[in-house]
Structure formats: C-alpha cells, structure tokens
C-alpha cells in the first residue's frame, strides 16, 4: 500500500469502529479498532489528528466497560502516547 492508502485505511478503520460502536455492537467495533491500531502510520503523513489516538481511546473504553481494565491500560500505554 502507498503511504496515502495506509493513512486512509487507518482513518477508515477508526471511523467504521466509531459507527459500529454507536450501533451497539462493541465486539465488532473492538475488532475494527484493533485492526486500525495494527496499521503503522506514515512518518511523512503530517496529519494534525491521528485517528489511531481516537481508536485507542475508544477501544480502552470498550475494554473498561467489559471489566478488562488491564487491557484498557495496555492499549493506552502502547498507542495513546503524546
């Protein structure tokens, strides 16, 4: 994939995860967020907002709601670094 396609794929995964979560299907949303987080961002992307940050935050919320606080902490530690 080209760098632009990877960035687009990451953004699409975060958007789909968000929409699926709003539909009330957290298991499928979590899978979309995990897929989004597995992609590596482009170094030259220059995007002001990284969709992986939103995906990490929302995935951590899903894990916390399921009582999996250790998974929520792991996701935030690995992916929500400023």
């Amino acid at each position: 994939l080209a760098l632009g396609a990877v960035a687009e794929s990451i953004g699409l995964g975060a958007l789909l995860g968000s929409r699926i979560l709003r539909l009330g299907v957290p298991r499928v949303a979590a899978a979309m967020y995990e897929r989004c987080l597995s992609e590596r961002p482009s170094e030259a992307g220059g995007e002001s907002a990284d969709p992986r940050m939103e995906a990490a935050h929302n995935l951590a919320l899903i894990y916390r709601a399921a009582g999996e606080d250790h998974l929520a902490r792991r996701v935030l530690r690995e992916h929500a670094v400023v």
Side-chain angles (χ1 to χ4, degrees), residues 15-33:
L15 179 64
L16 285 175
S18 176
R19 297 301 185 247
I20 292 169
L21 185 57
R22 286 184 185 176
L23 290 174
V25 190
R27 181 175 291 178
V28 176
M32 292 303 302
Y33 289 136

Side-chain angles (χ1 to χ4, degrees), residues 6-80:
V6 170
E8 187 174 309
S9 173
I10 292 170
L12 182 59
L15 179 64
L16 285 175
S18 176
R19 297 301 185 247
I20 292 169
L21 185 57
R22 286 184 185 176
L23 290 174
V25 190
R27 181 175 291 178
V28 176
M32 292 303 302
Y33 289 136
E34 288 169 354
R35 186 175 182 186
C36 174
L37 293 173
S38 70
E39 298 284 340
R40 291 289 161 222
S42 65
E43 295 298 320
E47 289 188 49
S48 60
D50 185 358
R52 293 180 322 120
M53 292 288 281
E54 179 184 350
H57 172 75
N58 289 341
L59 183 57
L61 291 177
I62 291 170
Y63 285 152
R64 283 202 176 115
E68 300 291 343
D69 291 333
H70 66 285
L71 291 175
R73 283 190 299 273
R74 180 187 56 85
V75 166
L76 292 174
R77 187 173 45 247
E78 291 177 8
H79 299 286

